[in-house]
Amino acid sequence: MRREAKYLIKIKVMINKQKVQEFRNEFQKAVEQLEKDFGVAISLGTISFNANELRSKMTAKVGKAQPKLSANDFKIGDVVFINHKKIANTKTFEILKINNKNIKVRDRDDNSLLTVSPSLLKK
């Protein structure tokens, strides 16, 4: 009688940066119908991950989604608002400098300077 050894091969799927980017893209496609059905804008926050899991915060806000703007959508001298919970949505800012990743703005009321991501700005 011949004994055959059976080996169980475990294939472990590792989560890496590329998989997280793919997950974010697929998630956005999957929630488009939910956004239409419920009239909300769904966004996925920063994703933290290790080899076994990923974690993130999902937010659904009533209303249409604001378009994500890039640095190319702005020019020096534009008057913009900053869409952030710690900054009043009535404060206006003027664009002073456009860098590769961030934009430097000046508060029109008190002349304070801030450097913000273009995705937080709205015209």
Side-chain angles (χ1 to χ4, degrees), residues 2-61:
R2 200 170 105 188
R3 285 182 112 170
E4 292 183 21
K6 292 186 179 181
Y7 294 101
L8 295 176
I9 301 174
K10 290 186 178 179
I11 299 174
K12 190 172 184 181
V13 178
M14 300 286 282
I15 298 175
N16 55 28
K17 190 173 183 177
Q18 182 180 358
K19 291 273 188 201
V20 171
Q21 289 172 342
E22 290 174 20
F23 176 84
R24 181 179 288 280
N25 292 336
E26 291 298 320
F27 180 86
Q28 195 59 41
K29 290 177 191 173
V31 299
E32 284 178 1
Q33 189 61 41
L34 287 172
E35 290 177 328
K36 290 176 188 172
D37 292 346
F38 292 95
V40 295
I42 299 173
S43 64
L44 191 64
T46 303
I47 298 174
S48 56
F49 66 95
N50 60 32
N52 300 319
E53 66 181 14
L54 58 85
R55 293 169 303 284
S56 182
K57 176 181 171 184
M58 182 189 77
T59 306
K61 292 184 180 179

Side-chain angles (χ1 to χ4, degrees), residues 31-94:
V31 299
E32 284 178 1
Q33 189 61 41
L34 287 172
E35 290 177 328
K36 290 176 188 172
D37 292 346
F38 292 95
V40 295
I42 299 173
S43 64
L44 191 64
T46 303
I47 298 174
S48 56
F49 66 95
N50 60 32
N52 300 319
E53 66 181 14
L54 58 85
R55 293 169 303 284
S56 182
K57 176 181 171 184
M58 182 189 77
T59 306
K61 292 184 180 179
V62 176
K64 291 197 172 227
Q66 296 291 329
K68 292 252 181 174
L69 300 174
S70 68
N72 297 332
D73 298 323
F74 300 100
K75 61 181 186 284
I76 294 175
D78 282 352
V79 176
V80 295
F81 299 96
I82 296 179
N83 185 17
H84 193 272
K85 63 184 175 186
K86 292 190 176 182
I87 296 179
N89 59 0
T90 57
K91 284 186 121 183
T92 57
F93 298 85
E94 180 183 355

